[in-house]
Amino acid sequence: MPLVRITQQDVRTPEQSRRMADIVQEVMLELFAAPARDRYQIVETLPVGSIIAEDTGLGIERSDGVVIIHVTQQGRSTEQKQAVYAALAERLSTEGLVRPEDLLVSVVHNNREDWSFGHGRAQFLTGEL
């Protein structure tokens, strides 16, 4: 059950932003084996100029269409993570939503005790999930 934060600058329509979020969810279901109806996404749109994303010496030229996708998850392999990076770049580019040069993805790990889905309980620990 990944928690995904999609941060972008205000260069897309609401429909494009929703399609981007839908593609991210499709990739989470397919490659991270997230359970159906396990969708936790934050789509954050900031004014142009709010994201500063340099190229880390890789010679990448970014545009105002830069998108940062931050995924908090548990238990995915290196191979799954690499497949997610590639699938997101390919699918978002194919749909004309994000150039591969403008996509930054960060995947971080947490543990079962790091989640509460409501009611102030850690459902993974209580056996509810």
Side-chain angles (χ1 to χ4, degrees), residues 1 35 38 72-76 109-117 121-129:
M1 151 279 331
D38 200 17
T72 302
Q73 56 75 49
Q74 49 182 303
R76 274 41 179 230
H109 176 84
N110 70 0
N111 298 304
R112 296 176 70 80
E113 65 267 15
D114 297 323
W115 295 93
S116 172
F117 294 93
R121 295 191 301 269
Q123 287 85 351
F124 282 132
L125 302 180
T126 64
E128 296 169 77
L129 284 176

Side-chain angles (χ1 to χ4, degrees), residues 53-54 59-63 65-67 89 93 98-104:
E54 296 181 348
I60 297 171
E61 294 291 328
R62 304 205 197 277
S63 73
V66 66
V67 172
S93 175
V98 183
R99 298 179 329 135
E101 300 87 353
D102 286 330
L103 180 64
L104 289 88

Side-chain angles (χ1 to χ4, degrees), residues 13-73:
T13 66
E15 295 78 19
Q16 289 171 320
S17 295
R18 178 57 191 240
R19 181 64 188 133
M20 180 171 43
D22 290 345
I23 291 169
V24 171
Q25 179 64 10
E26 292 166 7
V27 170
M28 294 298 110
L29 292 170
E30 179 183 329
L31 298 173
F32 270 8
R37 295 193 45 82
D38 200 17
R39 186 172 186 169
Y40 298 95
Q41 295 180 317
I42 303 158
V43 179
E44 178 178 45
T45 303
L46 304 172
V48 172
S50 296
I51 297 176
I52 301 168
E54 296 181 348
D55 70 355
T56 315
L58 297 172
I60 297 171
E61 294 291 328
R62 304 205 197 277
S63 73
D64 288 339
V66 66
V67 172
I68 300 172
I69 299 175
H70 183 88
V71 183
T72 302
Q73 56 75 49

